[in-house]
Amino acid sequence: MKNALIKSRIIFAILVLPACAASTHPEPKFTRDCPDCPELAYILSENAENTAFFIARYEVTWKDYSKATSEFGCRKPRNSLNKEIAQTQNLADDIPLTGVTPDDFDCYLRYISKKAGHRYRLPTPQEWRRAAAGVRSHASESDTPPSGPADPRESVARGWVTLVGQRPPSSLGLYDIEGNAGEATSASRPGMKIICEKFGDAYCREVEVLGVEKYSLPKTYKDSVFFVQGVPDIHFGYRLVRD
């Protein structure tokens, strides 16, 4: 009887304990709200102050945004001289979207929210850093630009961005958190007063951008860089979040 009891306890330990241990480190949870919606990863709550949320596994691409320009009338991307980029519909590929101001990107947020039946938004800096936890730095790795100087998109022609998803995902299943386009957050601050007064309202606020270690501006990809909010910039793009 004693031997049978010991044997049963050993079997219990083998079968049950590994399952209990695994439950403390759940696999990333992915979902999609609609066929045209981004695939989302579920970011667990850390404590009572940090609620759970969903974040897109990939940055918004030109393919994603081109649908909003044709179906919803969103403003087309522009270059650093604030001129509309030609042939936007022919550039519907998997390059991260750049050249769209946060104000203009609100149109895309409304577009995808209507399709999904959920409210999409930009991540807060705190949410972005939580989602970036455990990301392996890729700054030393080189990318092969998908096009050359003939590409009308400055970010592509200069080799600042490349196709999304070329590198391994993070432990949470996210791609390109570091090493591709920078990513705008929902945070902003007042711009420089002298610049605002000289150039107008478009220069009066600055958006907080993360994930831009590739451009050697901050110390790490989790450091903040601020860009003028009302002017299209070719250095940063977007990643979606929903609750």
Side-chain angles (χ1 to χ4, degrees):
M1 180 67 181
K2 184 177 180 180
N3 290 338
L5 180 60
I6 294 174
K7 183 177 181 180
S8 66
R9 288 178 177 174
I10 293 174
I11 293 174
F12 175 82
I14 293 174
L15 297 179
V16 177
L17 293 182
C20 294
S23 66
T24 63
H25 301 282
E27 291 296 316
K29 177 183 177 183
F30 306 134
T31 188
R32 194 187 297 270
D33 293 326
C34 70
D36 288 335
C37 293
E39 188 175 24
L40 304 170
Y42 186 65
I43 307 300
L44 292 170
S45 173
E46 293 180 334
N47 52 53
E49 297 180 356
N50 293 326
T51 58
F53 61 96
F54 290 91
I55 188 167
R57 298 188 68 197
Y58 299 90
E59 295 171 327
V60 176
T61 66
W62 282 70
K63 181 190 296 182
D64 300 326
Y65 191 79
S66 67
K67 297 176 183 177
T69 63
S70 59
E71 298 176 16
F72 208 65
C74 293
R75 191 171 185 176
K76 293 181 179 180
R78 290 165 285 163
N79 62 25
S80 58
L81 297 177
N82 206 13
K83 293 183 179 180
E84 184 178 291
I85 296 174
Q87 303 175 345
T88 298
Q89 296 304 320
N90 295 331
L91 300 174
D93 54 21
D94 289 324
I95 293 292
L97 174 74
T98 57
V100 175
T101 69
D103 289 341
D104 289 340
F105 191 73
D106 281 342
C107 178
Y108 182 79
L109 292 175
R110 295 193 302 271
Y111 163 80
I112 200 66
S113 295
K114 183 176 181 180
K115 274 186 170 290
H118 294 278
R119 187 179 77 87
Y120 281 75
R121 57 182 175 82
L122 296 181
T124 66
Q126 294 78 16
E127 288 172 333
W128 193 95
R129 290 187 174 97
R130 281 177 58 198
V135 171
R136 182 175 67 87
S137 178
H138 300 286
S140 62
E141 298 181 10
S142 60
D143 294 314
T144 301
S147 186
D151 195 298
R153 298 168 293 189
E154 290 175 81
S155 58
V156 179
R158 299 184 185 186
W160 288 339
V161 296
T162 189
L163 295 167
V164 300
Q166 291 194 94
R167 298 164 173 171
S170 71
S171 60
L172 296 176
L174 307 183
Y175 291 87
D176 299 308
I177 281 283
E178 184 270 342
N180 214 335
E183 298 179 9
T185 69
S186 61
S188 64
R189 69 181 186 185
M192 294 179 62
K193 184 177 180 181
I194 188 172
I195 300 297
C196 175
E197 292 175 347
K198 183 175 182 178
F199 295 104
D201 292 344
Y203 292 81
C204 292
R205 291 206 67 80
E206 297 175 347
V207 60
E208 184 172 351
V209 178
L210 292 163
V212 290
E213 184 179 15
K214 184 173 182 179
Y215 310 125
S216 300
L217 293 173
K219 294 180 180 178
T220 75
Y221 67 93
K222 292 185 180 180
D223 289 337
S224 300
V225 181
F226 289 84
F227 292 87
V228 174
Q229 184 165 321
V231 178
D233 198 286
I234 59 177
H235 294 87
F236 70 84
Y238 301 91
R239 187 183 300 266
L240 303 181
V241 160
R242 80 158 172 84
D243 299 316

